[in-house]
Amino acid sequence: IVSVATLLRRGRRVAWVDPDFAQVGRLGERYRCVPGNTKVAKFLAGFRSLPSLNFEGSQARRRALGQRTVSDMGLDKTCELGLCADALEDGAQALLSSGAVRGLEARVVALKKEEAQDELWHASVGEDGRLREVSARNVLLCTGGVPRELSSASASAQLVIKSVAHDDVVAIDRLAALLEREPVLRSM
């Protein structure tokens, strides 16, 4: 989202391919209740530096609805990541509604560049079960990240290891639910 807004600030048009615009990735899906470790002032500076996110307008709309916003927090404080996820969700909608961004809710399944022909990148994009091609002079790949699980092959055969997923440990609500389901973890 920030990359797209940065390209717009530089006067570029963008074809944005994302399988799920609504969740803003793992941040919106799994880490909303996680306390941030970045001061609110830094978040605000970042959001405000990208006019196409329409940050001030979206924060005002949320306040009018009685919702807490990252702008309401003290500048020298930290906040739950959910407040930043809200701002990014609003920013994503602002970007998608701008005339400079073409949003495709899909996945890139192949990417190639044929330099001899036209100097363009050609991406095969899966959309609604169909593939189509999108071409561009420049491509920015933002893949996000997925935590890896501990491989049982790397553990000694004599140890019994209970692995807890990263997503479950950092989100307080998910950790509480996990501890309720897995009594063996409470005794560790």
Side-chain angles (χ1 to χ4, degrees), residues 160-164 175-188:
V160 176
I161 297 176
K162 176 64 180 167
S163 177
V164 178
L175 181 59
L178 177 69
L179 291 174
E180 284 297 314
R181 288 191 317 270
E182 301 281 344
V184 69
L185 293 175
R186 287 194 299 254
S187 64
M188 297 178 116

Side-chain angles (χ1 to χ4, degrees), residues 38-168:
T38 300
K39 302 283 186 201
V40 167
K42 287 191 176 190
F43 284 127
L44 295 179
F47 290 135
R48 289 176 175 148
S49 73
L50 299 165
S52 59
L53 294 178
N54 189 26
F55 177 70
E56 296 299 340
S58 67
Q59 295 288 282
R61 278 191 298 284
R62 285 187 179 273
R63 274 195 297 280
L65 295 171
Q67 298 175 3
R68 267 186 349 146
T69 70
V70 69
S71 296
D72 298 331
M73 308 305 290
L75 295 177
D76 62 336
K77 304 288 184 191
T78 60
C79 65
E80 286 183 354
L81 295 179
L83 296 176
C84 294
D86 290 343
L88 288 169
E89 284 176 359
D90 295 342
Q93 291 309 309
L95 292 169
L96 291 168
S97 64
S98 80
V101 175
R102 178 178 169 210
L104 300 168
E105 193 160 328
R107 292 186 187 279
V108 175
V109 296
L111 181 65
K112 63 183 176 179
K113 184 172 187 177
E114 297 179 16
E115 294 182 33
Q117 289 183 353
D118 54 13
E119 294 290 318
L120 293 178
W121 286 92
H122 302 279
S124 297
V125 176
E127 188 174 40
D128 300 328
R130 302 180 315 259
L131 284 183
R132 60 191 276 192
E133 189 170 285
V134 176
S135 299
R137 291 211 182 283
N138 300 294
V139 173
L140 176 64
L141 295 176
C142 301
T143 61
V146 177
R148 290 183 283 169
E149 295 293 321
L150 177 66
S151 169
S152 60
S154 66
S156 167
Q158 301 199 357
L159 293 175
V160 176
I161 297 176
K162 176 64 180 167
S163 177
V164 178
H166 175 268
D167 290 341
D168 291 334

